[in-house]
């Protein structure tokens, strides 16, 4: 059994992203600095096991209290999935 290789690109794929409505909710929570609600959002949304790099990035940003970056990431991902038509919903 070989160890997993790191490709260096941890960007989540859009087809594994939460739905745009959920991302909008995350952006709203981040805008208002709702730490506990963001942690709960991550827990609920990551339960499916999809897009682990996205949720790892969110957890890292949350640990650093970087609400602005969380909001930007959520907004960017929602806009990206709308443009590509690959939002999960």
């Amino acid at each position: 059994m070989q160890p997993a290789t790191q490709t260096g690109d941890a960007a989540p794929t859009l087809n594994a992203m939460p739905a745009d409505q959920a991302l909008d909710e995350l952006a709203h929570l981040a805008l208002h600095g709702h730490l506990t609600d963001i942690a709960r959002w991550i827990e609920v949304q990551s339960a499916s096991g999809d897009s682990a790099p996205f949720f790892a990035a969110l957890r890292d940003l949350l640990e650093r209290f970087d609400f602005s970056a969380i909001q930007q990431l959520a907004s960017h991902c929602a806009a990206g999935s709308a443009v590509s038509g690959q939002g999960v919903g």
Side-chain angles (χ1 to χ4, degrees):
M1 187 167 164
Q2 295 182 7
T5 57
Q6 182 72 15
T7 62
D9 183 12
T13 59
L14 290 176
N15 60 352
M17 297 301 298
D20 286 350
Q21 182 178 357
L23 291 168
D24 289 343
E25 177 186 6
L26 175 62
H28 176 79
L29 294 173
L31 177 65
H32 298 287
H34 294 284
L35 176 74
T36 304
D37 293 331
I38 294 170
R40 187 177 309 118
W41 185 96
I42 293 170
E43 182 180 325
V44 169
Q45 294 294 323
S46 66
S48 68
D50 291 340
S51 197
F54 174 75
F55 293 110
L58 282 177
R59 286 183 185 100
D60 179 58
L61 293 171
L62 190 59
E63 287 176 9
R64 293 188 280 143
F65 303 105
D66 194 343
F67 297 109
S68 176
I70 292 171
Q71 181 189 12
Q72 290 174 357
L73 179 62
S75 297
H76 174 76
C77 289
S81 65
V83 168
S84 68
Q86 293 183 1
V88 177

